[in-house]
Amino acid sequence: MTTEPVVFVVDDDPDVCESLSLLLKSVGLKTQTFANAHSFLDGYPPERAGCLVVDVRMPGMSGLELQQTLIQQDICLPVIVITAHGDVPMAIRAMKAGAIDFIEKPYSSQTLLEQVHKALTKDAEARRVQSQRKAVAARLALLTSREYEVLERAVAGQYNKVIAAELGISLPTVEARRKRIMEKLQAKSFADLVRILASHKANKGKP
Amino acid sequence: MNWNFLSLRHLLRSEVGAIYLGLVALSAGLVLTLWTWRLAVDYELSQQLADLNHDATQIAVAVTERLAQYQTVERSGQALFVVSPSVQREQWRVYVKNLQVKENFPGLVGLAFISYVPHQELTRFLARSQADGAPDFVIHPGGRRDAYCIIQYIEPAAGNDNALGFDSCTLPASRRAMEQARDTGRPILTDWVQLSQQPDNRSAVVLYAPVYHAGAPVQTVEERRAALRGWIGARIRIDILMQGVIPKGSTVDLDIFAGNKASLNTLLYNHDGKLDTLNGHLESVAEHSNRLLFPTTIEFGGQIWMLRFSRQISSPYGETALVVISGTLISLLLFVVLWSLGRTKAKAQALAEKMTAALRDSENAIRTLYEVTTTDHRSTEAKIQSLLTMGCQRFGLDTGILSHVEGQRYEVVAVVSPDGEIGKGNVYELADTYCEFTLKNNAPLCLEKVWGTALQHHPGHARFGLQAYLGTTVMVRGQPYGTLNFYSRHPRSAPFTLLDREILQLMVQWIGGVIEREQMEEEARQHQAMLTHATRLNTMGEMASGLAHELNQPLTCIVNFAEACTNMLRAGRAEREESLAILEKISAQSQRAGKIIHRMRRFIRKGEVQRAVVEITAIIDEIREFIAIEARRYAITIHYQLKPDLPPLLVDRIQIQQVILNLIRNAMEAIRGQDGVREITIQASCYTDTLAEIAIRDTGPGLSTEIASRILDPFFTTKTNGLGLGLTISQSIVETHGGSLWVSSHTGPGATFHFTLPIAEAVYHDN
């Protein structure tokens, strides 16, 4: 998280690469350029924060194909698609695949830079959420299955008495388990516990 | 000879020839008739001659018989003197009377006894005679002679009065006959004798038979002379003799001549009895010229008589007139038949020749028409001009016009006029021309002479003075286009023939076809130009995204560089060198953008075909960028295999670039979806000495035979939204340049499209 984010630029036109790189540098961003998608895939370190600015029309793998490839490889790098000639289907396809923006050349540098910053912010946020989720998951993993049963019912708002009856255990056992759950999950209050579990469930299924 | 033969044949074929032939037949018929008639006449004459011959023979026999009877009478006289040597006058009279001479022997006019009396016995004789019942008996003519031949008795006395006592020796004819009779012992006839007592009877002769003394030997001439006592003389009138011999009613005339020669001197008997006048004789002889003659001779009493029978030739013409009339009629009939046959034949011949001439005429006209219209190297305009000239000659009219009529507007499209008064492009009112009627007519309008007809007040005549006119409507695509018309200010003597109208129709059909073809060609040209342009625009449209991308690239770069520079300058971090480098980059990118726009404009330009001498590499270099853009888009590798030192071409570069781009785009479409090798190779090489070849080869799936066979057809496409005209137009462009376009290697990987283009040098060399 401490490493400086990098704007990766993939365009077959070296002039475009050079000029874009110069522009980004001029606003203090670090850039790395690639002449085509394959060389990017080969040289990109997934842990590296940043964003991707990619041209749609390129020999070999196109920008949209590269976007798909990244999704398949579970690389959640924000993508800004730029194109000299875009059309609506192409834009829809890019946006559906999670692109930050679809920008037509020639663009105003302001727009591009805004989107680049937006992408970098999103990437940073995403990386932060991902690390939190990983921490919650790790704490949840500490719970025993009996404790998890109790947690689910407690979060659902059932009284301890009801929980005890349902699970066929005694009320003091329920209370003891709730205490251990609070400790394991490092929850300061019941509300905190509910938020952690909701957040976890919301992110469930995401990579 | 051959010429003569031909001219004879020609003559016989003509109508005059028919008359000649008829006349020849008529002459031949008449000659034949004449000949037949002559034969008939000859036959008739020979018949008459035969009749005469028959009659004459009968008469001659009768004459001979009668003469023989006279001889018999004499012989009986002789016998009398033998029996009774001293016959008395009375006895003689009785004897003769008993003979009944007149009844039994017509012509015998007197039977005399002539005594031979030597001079010394004369006195005694006289005495004896006077004593014998003739007292006045005298001897005459008088005079002394050695011997006398005295007619002692003659009976019947009537008619012989002067004869008694006549000395017959004084007549030379009698004397000769008597001497001959004496010497021969046979009856001898005299020549004609002039009997004194019968002055008119030159036709009298005397037959003398000698009387010898009874018992005297008469074996020799001397004994006979010595034994002579006298003669029995029978006087014969030939005319009387003949009265009994020639049958009554006979048309035979008989002349008798003494001797065998016919002459006036020897004429004994004339059928007319006109012996007394010389004229009569002449006449009778002259008459012989138109008489049939049959001479024959009889011999009697030592004399030869010629009996010349004659008969008036009865005209044979009456008998033969039928021959002449029928012969002449047949000949005339033959003449008429031959003449009319000949006339009919000559007419048929003339008709046939006329038709042949008409056929030849039409053949010539059509050949001329064909020659005029099929001379390939001439322009259509020149052909129409020739056609108009030919029409003027053919129809005998001064001016020929091909007009285009729209509404009331009559425009001269092509014209042949003697003084050039009508010019091409002249415009008239339709109502001023006869063509207004022509256009309403299906058939050609023919006017030989307008003056005096209902049309004479029409402007065509009243203002322009057009007399003769021949015109018809030119139809183009089933619609009236205008007229083809010929006219003249002079009236035409002969009417226009069917052939004239047919030739006009042929001309019109040809012209209509030509105009139609030109219109269609023009439309096709326009269509082609539109299509070419449309395709170019389409091609352009297809490439627009690529072009936009291409143009946006430098623009993007410019924006980036400019913003970067601005940012650096604002931040105060900009180094001078760095800023300058960025500005130079901006400048370079601007130029890049400008070039792209320039090329694009050149490509889009819809221009006329402009052929120029251009290097093939220059053509391809100008579109390399476009190709590269497309190739990048589909990740296609382009290989150029341009043979160095290729001679320059004579082409319209834009069109050829369009063809190349079209073929490359096709190739790209064929391979862009495939996973394998995506390569396109562009080759240029020499095909022949005069043609260069450009080939576009791809690594696609190739073409099936079925598609390959149809791929050049218009509107054939394998694309979902293609027009199917790209290859067709490419092909027509190549062919317009004199090259050809084809596809090869249909099977197996890849297809190759080839086309050829003319090498400039070869074109110039040719020209």
Side-chain angles (χ1 to χ4, degrees), chain B residues 347-563:
Chain B
K347 273 185 177 172
Q349 196 85 32
L351 186 67
E353 274 167 12
K354 206 172 151 189
M355 285 169 72
T356 309
L359 264 179
R360 198 166 295 136
D361 191 24
S362 87
E363 190 189 321
N364 284 340
I366 288 166
R367 183 179 298 127
T368 313
L369 194 64
Y370 179 77
E371 281 166 3
V372 166
T373 54
T374 53
T375 317
D376 280 336
H377 60 271
R378 289 166 49 187
S379 72
T380 304
E381 195 180 337
K383 284 180 188 172
I384 290 178
Q385 209 69 21
S386 298
L387 206 65
L388 289 174
T389 309
M390 180 209 145
C392 287
Q393 287 169 1
R394 165 81 212 172
F395 305 133
L397 298 173
D398 295 337
T399 307
I401 290 179
L402 171 64
S403 70
H404 181 39
V405 177
E406 277 179 307
Q408 286 301 306
R409 189 174 184 275
Y410 176 97
E411 183 185 350
V412 177
V413 176
V415 61
V416 168
S417 68
D419 44 8
E421 58 174 336
I422 308 286
K424 185 181 168 186
N426 283 12
V427 175
Y428 301 92
E429 281 288 308
L430 177 62
D432 286 349
T433 67
Y434 297 139
C435 293
E436 68 167 316
F437 307 111
T438 307
L439 284 168
K440 291 172 188 164
N441 243 353
N442 285 329
L445 178 67
C446 303
L447 303 168
E448 281 86 16
K449 186 183 178 188
V450 171
W451 192 85
T453 68
L455 275 178
Q456 66 173 326
H457 300 301
H458 187 275
H461 182 260
R463 272 172 56 192
F464 300 105
L466 309 186
Q467 287 282 18
Y469 172 93
L470 177 66
T472 194
T473 309
V474 179
M475 301 292 285
V476 174
R477 298 186 185 186
Q479 295 296 318
Y481 167 87
T483 60
L484 175 67
N485 62 86
F486 297 88
Y487 62 77
S488 185
R489 291 210 163 86
H490 314 290
R492 215 180 115 101
S493 51
F496 291 105
T497 63
L498 184 64
L499 179 64
D500 289 336
R501 279 174 291 199
E502 283 176 353
I503 285 174
L504 185 71
Q505 292 283 32
L506 280 178
M507 286 179 168
V508 158
Q509 277 167 20
W510 182 80
I511 288 175
V514 164
I515 293 171
E516 190 167 323
R517 199 172 66 225
E518 288 206 328
Q519 283 185 357
M520 287 171 78
E521 279 173 0
E522 179 57 31
E523 281 173 15
R525 257 198 304 279
Q526 288 177 2
H527 199 63
Q528 170 88 35
M530 275 165 59
L531 262 181
T532 308
H533 183 61
T535 314
R536 192 183 293 150
L537 287 179
N538 189 40
T539 308
M540 230 282 300
E542 292 277 325
M543 300 183 84
S545 63
L547 285 164
H549 184 268
E550 189 64 18
L551 191 59
N552 285 334
Q553 296 294 84
L555 289 176
T556 307
C557 293
I558 289 166
V559 168
N560 290 341
F561 283 133
E563 190 67 20

Side-chain angles (χ1 to χ4, degrees), chain A residues 13 15 18 26 84 105 109, chain B residues 552-553 563 573 585 589:
Chain A
D13 191 328
D15 290 338
E18 187 194 351
S26 72
K105 294 179 186 173
S109 55
Chain B
N552 285 334
Q553 296 294 84
E563 190 67 20
R573 295 190 280 113
K585 284 175 205 258
Q589 289 301 321

Side-chain angles (χ1 to χ4, degrees), chain B residues 84-144:
Chain B
S84 168
S86 55
V87 174
Q88 298 299 304
R89 183 175 304 272
E90 185 58 24
Q91 287 173 318
W92 186 253
R93 194 187 58 83
V94 172
Y95 166 67
V96 172
K97 192 183 173 185
N98 283 342
L99 285 175
Q100 293 182 320
V101 171
K102 201 173 180 181
E103 292 77 19
N104 293 332
F105 307 105
L108 187 64
V109 292
L111 193 63
F113 178 70
I114 298 137
S115 281
Y116 176 71
V117 182
H119 183 71
Q120 57 268 27
E121 293 182 15
L122 183 62
T123 314
R124 203 159 43 101
F125 174 76
L126 271 175
R128 200 169 58 235
S129 291
Q130 284 163 357
D132 189 19
D136 50 353
F137 189 92
V138 289
I139 293 166
H140 60 96
R144 186 186 186 280

Side-chain angles (χ1 to χ4, degrees), chain B residues 248-309:
Chain B
K248 276 211 158 116
S250 171
T251 54
V252 177
D253 295 327
L254 176 61
D255 298 311
I256 299 174
F257 299 88
N260 49 15
K261 196 167 167 237
S263 76
L264 274 178
N265 292 335
T266 57
L267 185 65
L268 290 180
Y269 170 75
N270 177 261
H271 62 279
D272 288 342
K274 294 177 183 170
L275 287 173
D276 51 341
T277 60
L278 189 58
N279 280 344
H281 298 315
L282 281 174
E283 197 179 319
S284 70
V285 174
E287 271 175 2
H288 291 160
S289 59
N290 52 15
R291 297 175 74 86
L292 277 175
L293 291 183
F294 181 77
T296 185
T297 53
I298 56 175
E299 195 173 352
F300 179 78
Q303 277 290 350
I304 292 173
W305 282 4
M306 187 178 77
L307 310 183
R308 194 177 70 180
F309 299 92

